[in-house]
Amino acid sequence: GTFRKNVGAQLMEYAQHKQLSNEYIIGKIADFLAEDMPDGDKTTKDTIPEGVTISAEIQSGEELVFAGEKIIPHCFGENCQTTLNHNDGDYLLNGDVIGFVTGPAREILSRERVMLNLIQRLCGIATLTLEYAEIANPFNVKILDTRKTTPGLRLFEKYAVAVGGGYNHRLNLSDGILIKDNHIIAAGSVTKAIESVRKAGAGLPLEIEVDNINQIRKALEANVDGFLLDNMNPQTIKESVSLIRASENGNDIFIEASGGITLKNIHPFLETGIDAISIGALTHQAVSKDIRLNFIT
């Protein structure tokens, strides 16, 4: 899915990045395996004879949203056969069998922890995202992730957000312009920061983070494409949305809220007229889900 907001000549676009290239997955898994066994898996090598083959079952240990159908086969390598019973986005119950892997016992034993660490984390993110998305969807508010991701895991984690029904904010700093409070301080003012961006002419939609009405007025004079309303209470957000929507092309301006919004307090924010809520907690507070790999005897 793609969420678009027409903004004058620009287009604020937030997609659901559910495609991970095989090259990216294989490269990352190779890094993770090198970290876990820089000089081989001593225990497995010394206890399991070469040539022993085995089958294992991958099982969910709790309710979760599954994220990882493209990833799991690459975790075990070309000598193993992986079959999966579920697709990304499926809601699994405790005891559901995610799939099977058959191949050399040594390879499965040496690689299972890397697979579990990654897939447990991604299922945790997808499950938490779904909780937010299910609450927000009836209000036509999109749930967005942030750049508050684990270094080295960003594309995996943003993929898990998309699987859970969320949308991906910019993937990186090269991907979009978001003037934040420290940019404004360093540039000297809201107006100076926006003027500098316009002069540079990157041709990207321009979004600005604001925390008061005065900053919104200045940014509206400069025709920004989007606002991030940071750490505002729902009442202030309502006033901000009214001011923005009443401006020229105001209905085309993208408005998101962020800062301290949780599952417990989200409801008042959903009725303020915003387009989206960006939530860092999707990636930095998600708890890994219980997934097990058991050998079949």
Side-chain angles (χ1 to χ4, degrees):
T2 302
F3 167 52
R4 288 189 179 88
K5 183 89 181 175
N6 284 304
V7 281
Q10 298 283 14
L11 188 70
M12 298 288 275
E13 181 172 299
Y14 298 108
Q16 291 178 306
H17 293 279
K18 293 182 184 174
Q19 297 304 315
L20 292 168
S21 75
N22 288 336
E23 292 77 16
Y24 176 82
I25 298 169
I26 291 164
K28 286 290 186 183
I29 297 295
D31 287 346
F32 304 155
L33 291 171
E35 177 182 66
D36 203 28
M37 44 176 178
D39 192 24
D41 173 358
K42 305 293 190 191
T43 310
T44 297
K45 186 169 169 288
D46 293 348
T47 54
I48 311 296
E50 208 176 341
V52 173
T53 60
I54 200 148
S55 289
E57 180 181 80
I58 304 165
Q59 189 184 57
S60 165
E62 61 182 305
E63 291 187 25
L64 56 84
V65 175
F66 178 55
E69 70 170 293
K70 311 277 194 315
I71 300 167
I72 290 176
H74 292 300
C75 292
F76 294 104
E78 292 172 0
N79 297 324
C80 297
Q81 287 76 50
T82 308
T83 53
L84 294 178
N85 298 338
H86 292 282
N87 300 113
D88 282 343
D90 285 358
Y91 198 88
L92 308 190
L93 304 175
N94 182 4
D96 281 356
V97 176
I98 294 168
F100 299 91
V101 55
T102 303
R106 281 184 173 188
E107 292 201 24
I108 296 173
L109 277 164
S110 298
R111 291 160 173 255
E112 68 166 313
R113 176 45 55 198
V114 161
M115 182 278 289
L116 290 171
N117 285 351
L118 182 58
I119 302 303
Q120 286 173 332
R121 170 141 190 81
L122 299 188
C123 290
I125 292 169
T127 307
L128 181 60
T129 303
L130 180 69
E131 282 192 72
Y132 278 97
E134 284 187 331
I135 296 169
N137 284 344
F139 297 89
N140 207 24
V141 173
K142 298 286 187 268
I143 297 296
L144 298 174
D145 58 21
T146 69
R147 285 172 38 253
K148 293 175 183 173
T149 53
T150 312
L153 292 184
R154 178 167 297 168
L155 290 188
F156 282 130
E157 292 185 347
K158 283 184 170 271
Y159 148 84
V161 166
V163 166
Y167 286 73
N168 303 128
H169 216 291
R170 57 186 178 158
L171 292 180
N172 52 58
L173 290 172
S174 308
D175 215 25
I177 291 171
L178 174 53
I179 299 171
K180 300 180 79 117
D181 52 355
N182 284 339
H183 294 113
I184 294 167
I185 292 165
S189 72
V190 167
T191 309
K192 280 181 185 168
I194 294 168
E195 280 173 359
S196 295
V197 169
R198 293 262 193 256
K199 265 188 204 141
L204 292 165
L206 195 164
E207 184 177 2
I208 187 162
E209 178 184 289
V210 293
D211 55 23
N212 63 64
I213 299 281
N214 191 35
Q215 288 180 326
I216 294 173
R217 288 203 173 95
K218 285 181 181 159
L220 284 171
E221 285 168 20
N223 294 318
V224 298
D225 304 310
F227 284 96
L228 191 163
L229 308 179
D230 187 46
N231 284 309
M232 289 185 181
N233 63 46
Q235 187 52 43
T236 310
I237 290 175
K238 268 187 186 164
E239 291 165 23
S240 302
V241 170
S242 295
L243 178 65
I244 295 163
R245 297 290 186 231
S247 69
E248 195 181 347
N249 297 323
N251 287 327
D252 292 336
I253 294 173
F254 172 76
I255 309 174
E256 63 176 302
S258 189
I261 300 170
T262 66
L263 287 168
K264 290 191 175 118
N265 70 7
I266 192 171
H267 279 284
F269 292 93
L270 296 170
E271 297 170 328
T272 56
I274 53 177
D275 296 301
I277 298 174
S278 48
I279 298 174
L282 298 181
T283 48
H284 71 66
Q285 287 184 19
V287 177
S288 292
K289 291 296 178 183
D290 181 14
I291 296 170
R292 301 183 278 263
L293 183 142
N294 301 316
F295 279 176
I296 301 164
T297 51

